[in-house]
Amino acid sequence: MSKVAIVTGGTRGIGLSITRALRDEGYEVAATYHGNDEAALKCADETGAKTYKFDVCDYDACVQGVQQIEADMGPAAILVNNAGITKDGTLHKMSPDSWHDVIETNLTSCFNMSRAVINSMRGQQFGRIINISSINGQKGQFGQTNYSAAKAGIIGFTKALALESAAKGITVNAICPGYIETDMTKQMRPEVLDMIVKQIPVSRMGKPEEIAGLVVFLSSDKAAFMTGATFTANGGQYMV
Ligand code: CAA
């Protein structure tokens, strides 16, 4: 029987590529989303994934959402915590809402969703949790105290949960994408983005598929010895 994967923010951007790539490998995929019904319909139509609408910032909604997914599809073997937003601005101009929204959506969501699946994974003695962090959680980024803090937090969360889960057959890893061609980077001022792309040694932005391929590998049995690790995919922009 096919394994079940949950991809948060799985209907657009990097998440959509992950959904597509996991489907291509034969997984059953539940792609969660928050707002964009049109993109969700398109994703379901194109990939054959099931889509589920709930807010990953809301703990109860995550527990209920996972219960629904598991009732429809069976226990989740793979969780990809991908949902994320930016609300860029320098700290001296940043509102408390911009801080909290980014921390809740990008970091607290990892707790909410992991908490909702972990006991079932422990029962199965198998699980793959893959958290999408960012280059900017590793190096910091001008205008992103909120986002860099959340994405750095994901790396610590990953390592701690990996330690707790290793004996139960569950691996927990983080991926740090660099600048990838998605709606998120399209929101940036073109002159700022141009300046950043000039700093990427491979002289281009990444493609969502280049992150999705790594997710597929980390989801597989071949990746059983990799846990608590942080994988970078950033065109050489920041070498750790
Ligand atoms: N380092 C040092 N100084 C910088 C700087 C940098 N990287 N960037 C800007 N500055 C300076 C500017 O030169 C300017 O100085 P002067 O006033 O002396 O000219 C000053 O800081 C103000 O800069 P801005 O005009 O850019 O300020 P702003 O308030 O208009 O805009 C901002 C602020 C919106 C944060 C803008 O700087 C910006 O968009 N920065 C990039 C943020 C970014 O990389 N976001 C990534 C989004 S995608 C993503 O996050 C995905 C992922 O995981 C990679």
Side-chain angles (χ1 to χ4, degrees), residues 55-121:
D55 182 357
V56 289
C57 300
D58 178 338
Y59 177 73
D60 292 334
C62 290
V63 170
Q64 281 163 25
V66 168
Q67 271 169 4
Q68 187 61 56
I69 291 166
E70 297 202 328
D72 294 346
M73 304 172 83
I78 293 141
L79 168 65
V80 186
N81 283 311
N82 164 76
I85 58 166
T86 52
K87 292 205 172 176
D88 292 353
T90 46
L91 183 85
H92 62 278
K93 295 183 202 161
M94 188 178 287
S95 69
D97 279 351
S98 292
W99 172 265
H100 289 297
D101 288 351
V102 168
I103 297 291
E104 294 289 306
T105 307
N106 296 13
L107 178 58
T108 308
S109 62
C110 293
F111 166 77
N112 291 343
M113 288 299 293
S114 302
R115 182 68 182 80
V117 300
I118 197 75
N119 282 326
S120 151
M121 286 183 179

Side-chain angles (χ1 to χ4, degrees):
M1 223 173 75
S2 303
K3 288 196 174 104
V4 173
I6 301 176
V7 183
T8 69
T11 62
R12 290 198 297 140
I14 293 174
L16 173 60
S17 263
I18 294 170
T19 295
R20 193 184 288 126
L22 288 171
R23 287 287 298 148
D24 287 348
E25 288 295 312
Y27 294 93
E28 291 296 327
V29 180
T32 84
Y33 73 104
H34 188 215
N36 191 330
D37 294 317
E38 200 184 320
L41 278 172
K42 209 167 151 221
C43 165
D45 200 38
E46 186 209 316
T47 67
K50 286 198 168 72
T51 58
Y52 293 84
K53 186 176 187 176
F54 59 89
D55 182 357
V56 289
C57 300
D58 178 338
Y59 177 73
D60 292 334
C62 290
V63 170
Q64 281 163 25
V66 168
Q67 271 169 4
Q68 187 61 56
I69 291 166
E70 297 202 328
D72 294 346
M73 304 172 83
I78 293 141
L79 168 65
V80 186
N81 283 311
N82 164 76
I85 58 166
T86 52
K87 292 205 172 176
D88 292 353
T90 46
L91 183 85
H92 62 278
K93 295 183 202 161
M94 188 178 287
S95 69
D97 279 351
S98 292
W99 172 265
H100 289 297
D101 288 351
V102 168
I103 297 291
E104 294 289 306
T105 307
N106 296 13
L107 178 58
T108 308
S109 62
C110 293
F111 166 77
N112 291 343
M113 288 299 293
S114 302
R115 182 68 182 80
V117 300
I118 197 75
N119 282 326
S120 151
M121 286 183 179
R122 288 169 72 89
Q124 293 172 65
Q125 296 271 307
F126 180 87
R128 297 277 186 268
I129 297 180
I130 300 156
N131 299 318
I132 307 299
S133 175
S134 164
I135 183 175
N136 293 341
Q138 296 177 295
K139 73 169 188 56
Q141 170 61 32
F142 186 99
Q144 287 199 309
T145 49
N146 50 3
Y147 188 84
S148 297
K151 294 297 190 179
I154 287 178
I155 295 172
F157 174 84
T158 298
K159 291 176 180 175
L161 187 57
L163 284 173
E164 293 179 11
S165 306
K168 296 288 178 188
I170 303 165
T171 67
V172 189
N173 290 292
I175 298 177
C176 294
Y179 284 73
I180 308 294
E181 288 168 359
T182 62
D183 290 347
M184 187 180 265
T185 46
K186 278 195 199 111
Q187 287 169 26
M188 295 174 65
R189 290 211 310 263
E191 69 278 15
V192 175
L193 186 57
D194 284 352
M195 191 187 71
I196 290 171
V197 173
K198 286 199 180 89
Q199 297 161 11
I200 304 177
V202 302
S203 307
R204 65 169 176 87
M205 293 174 71
K207 297 181 192 313
E209 310 85 86
E210 291 173 312
I211 304 304
L214 187 48
V215 172
V216 167
F217 178 69
L218 290 174
S219 301
S220 73
D221 290 341
K222 290 178 192 145
F225 201 54
M226 295 175 179
T227 196
T230 303
F231 296 88
T232 64
N234 63 29
Q237 189 186 347
Y238 186 68
M239 300 184 188
V240 198

